[in-house]
Structure formats: C-alpha cells, structure tokens
Amino acid sequence: MSDAPVRLSTLAHGGGCGCKLDPAVLRRLLADQPAAGPFERLLVGNETADDAAVWELEDGTCLIATTDFFTPMVDDAFDFGRIAATNAISDVYAMGGRPLLALAILGMPVGRIAPETVAEILKGGASLCAEAGIPVAGGHSIDTPEPIYGLAVIGTCRRGEVRRNADARPGDALILTKPLGVGVYSAAIKREILPEGGYADFIATTTRLNRIGPDLARDPAVHAMTDVTGFGVLGHGLELARGAGLTLEIAADALPLLPAAEALVRDGAVTGASHRNWAAFGEAVDLPEGFPDWRRHLLTDPQTSGGLLVSCEAEAAGGILARIREAGFAQAALIGRTAAGPARVRIA
C-alpha cells in the first residue's frame, strides 16, 4: 500500500445517504416481502417506511431498533465517523426515543486504507456516541470494496411518546429543524468547489444531534415526526403523506438552506441521488408552473444526517418552533401544512 494519503470520498461511487438504493428500486424489492406482523407487541414495523422498528415491552416501555450505514462523503476520517454516527442515532430521536447503546458496522477495503485511518473513523463515531450519552458496545467488520461505516442503535421511550411518520393530521403545521443542501455540499466537496467556510457549515449541521426529538414527543400537540435523509424533503415528506393519507403543502420560499446551497446547485453541484429521487417521487408532486430546476434539485437533495420533519397542531406551532430554535436549531422553520386529500406533495 502506498504511503500517499487516500481521499476517502474517491473510494466510493456515492457518499452519505446519497448512496441509498434508488427509491423506485427499493419499492420493487420490498413489494413482495412479507409483512412484519402479526406480532401484538410490534408497534412499528415496515408497513409505513418509518425510521425505526418499535417493540412494546411488558411494562409499557418501548424498545426502538434501527441501523444505518453508508460510504464516505468527506475525506476526513474522524468527521466521516461523526457524521455516520449522528445520522444513525437520529432514527431513534425521530421516533421519540432516547438512545441506549450502539453497535458499530464497519466495512473497509483492506490494503487500500491505512489501519490508522480506519481507527480514526471508529474514534469519530465513538465521540458522537459519547456526546449522545451512549456506548459503542460492540459491532462487526468485514472486508469490502468500498469504505462503509455506521451503527445499529437501540433506544427506548414510553408507548405514548412513540411518534410515527403516519400519524400526521389534516391541518397540521410542518416544521423542518435543519437547513437543506447537504447533498449539494457533498457534491461540491467531491468537485473541490466548496467555498471558504462551507466545510464548517457542513460539519456543523451533519454532526448536530437531533436530540430535540424525545422532548417534542412528550408534547401531545406533536402528532408525527420523521428525519429527512437520503430521499430529500420531498421523498420523506411523501412517505409521511402516504402513511397518514393526506396532502402536504410546502412553501418553497420557506425552506431553510445552507448558506451556499443555492449558488452551488446553480453551478451544477447536484448528486445522482437527486435525479433518482425525482424520477421515483415526481409523479406524486405538484409544482408551480415555471418552477426552476435548481429549486427542484433542493427538494430532492439527499440529506445525510438531516433535520426532523415535524407535524404538529397549527395553534401550537409557534411555541414548538421557538423551543426547537432555543435548543440550537437556529434555522428551523415553518415550511407548510397538511391538508385532507390524496397522498401527494404540493409545492407553492
């Protein structure tokens, strides 16, 4: 193996949540799979494309289980580990739970990456788990053609605090807790066109734990939550719409963006996943006449370790938004509402 440093992002065909399977392909793969039930204690399975599985224990405590892993979207090994860990833990927060422990998932191209680099990835993941107050209690590793890292995470909550993506109600307000543009920044990192200060903004949002989730779940005015990751705000919004059987109305001008996201996407910093997401979800989306392509790409931009999409009572939305911002999510914003109607997303 050469002593020359290897850019992690060049060893993967895609990076972060942008390397998810094409959503259209995923739907075909899952179409003929058996349902998870009938298990009385399985409160959330694979029926609504939710963020994690939820199993009720005998005392009303619920066990939340999830796994998430991907290939690098950055070249710094420690940062890659931090981002992947933040992203995996987010699934527990999105269900309304608090994480308990994690298991590491590691695949590395042996002979192409120095052991010291792999150790830095693991250290980065462990540092974020420590920030979340949980241990990395074990894991599994294999030799793979591309670098892969992530976590399986276990968490808990009370039954009344479980928040599915399918429980939104007509007339709810929609809040997004983090800015969009992570996929755009990832593409810019790979092309080495990220502006000064851009990397710091990128790391700040992708390593911010969505720990506000369980606090929101204790509020009865919060009806549903999901985290926005590889399918973009459009794809995960549509999953919420389909699960709840209603229409999402999103105001494009209200969507929070990373500072350079608009300029970068206009410059062509678009991921392949953004195109795949539109091909998979576009038929269920109503766009205004003349809606520009660059704005559409931001709707389908894959968000690695993105924010929570929160559906809550409209009357309580202002107070809930203020609490989210006070918790450190400065760009959290009201982005639209839900309405009775077909399972579609309407962009205004």
Side-chain angles (χ1 to χ4, degrees):
M1 183 172 62
S2 170
D3 292 333
V6 177
R7 290 186 62 195
L8 285 176
S9 63
T10 65
L11 298 177
H13 71 286
C17 286
C19 70
K20 278 187 173 183
L21 282 180
D22 183 322
V25 173
L26 184 60
R27 282 206 301 271
R28 290 199 298 271
L29 292 175
L30 297 178
D32 296 327
Q33 297 300 312
F39 293 94
E40 182 180 351
R41 294 189 181 275
L42 183 65
L43 303 186
V44 182
N46 57 12
E47 62 281 350
T48 58
D50 224 317
D51 297 297
V54 181
W55 183 275
E56 185 181 16
L57 302 176
E58 292 183 359
D59 63 352
T61 299
C62 292
L63 197 66
I64 302 171
T66 185
T67 182
D68 213 315
F69 53 90
F70 45 61
T71 53
M73 77 302 297
V74 294
D75 296 317
D76 185 283
F78 190 78
D79 285 346
F80 172 40
R82 295 169 67 208
I83 294 167
T86 310
N87 181 75
I89 296 170
S90 180
D91 286 342
V92 172
Y93 291 138
M95 300 303 300
R98 298 185 184 279
L100 288 180
L101 62 86
L103 303 174
I105 300 165
L106 180 68
M108 286 293 142
V110 175
R112 298 183 68 193
I113 296 181
E116 295 79 10
T117 301
V118 180
E120 283 298 300
I121 295 171
L122 295 174
K123 287 177 183 177
S127 75
L128 246 296
C129 287
E131 185 178 330
I134 64 173
V136 179
H140 186 64
S141 60
I142 61 171
D143 184 359
T144 53
E146 296 181 327
I148 296 168
Y149 176 69
L151 301 173
V153 188
I154 301 296
T156 61
C157 69
R158 302 297 296 175
R159 176 165 183 158
E161 296 169 1
V162 175
R163 289 296 180 269
R164 306 188 307 159
N165 65 1
D167 291 332
R169 304 175 190 177
D172 278 358
L174 295 171
I175 298 172
L176 183 63
T177 65
K178 287 187 184 182
L180 302 177
V182 171
V184 171
Y185 273 50
S186 297
I189 289 170
K190 207 157 193 175
R191 291 174 54 186
E192 299 184 286
I193 61 169
L194 199 63
E196 184 177 355
Y199 189 75
D201 293 334
F202 176 85
I203 293 298
T205 190
T206 55
T207 60
R208 179 171 290 119
L209 289 163
N210 282 321
R211 61 170 85 238
I212 188 68
D215 297 326
L216 295 175
R218 291 199 297 269
D219 188 337
V222 174
H223 300 148
M225 291 193 295
T226 190
D227 66 343
V228 177
T229 55
F231 299 151
V233 69
L234 192 60
H236 292 287
L238 184 57
E239 288 179 340
L240 187 149
R242 287 170 172 166
L246 44 69
T247 298
L248 262 62
E249 298 176 349
I250 294 177
D253 288 340
L255 290 169
L257 303 178
L258 286 168
E262 178 179 338
L264 287 169
V265 76
R266 284 177 177 272
D267 195 34
V270 177
T271 67
S274 179
H275 295 286
R276 294 192 298 271
N277 287 341
W278 177 251
F281 302 124
E283 64 183 7
V285 179
D286 300 316
L287 295 178
E289 185 176 353
F291 197 73
D293 283 346
W294 70 265
R295 301 196 78 170
R296 178 172 59 79
H297 281 306
L298 287 168
L299 293 173
T300 55
D301 187 51
Q303 302 305 290
T304 301
S305 191
L308 299 178
L309 180 61
V310 181
S311 182
C312 64
E313 290 179 8
E315 297 79 7
I320 291 170
L321 177 61
R323 283 162 48 199
I324 293 170
R325 288 176 174 170
E326 288 170 4
F329 299 87
Q331 286 189 257
L334 285 164
I335 65 166
R337 69 185 191 97
T338 63
R344 297 185 65 80
V345 177
R346 185 177 304 131
I347 306 297

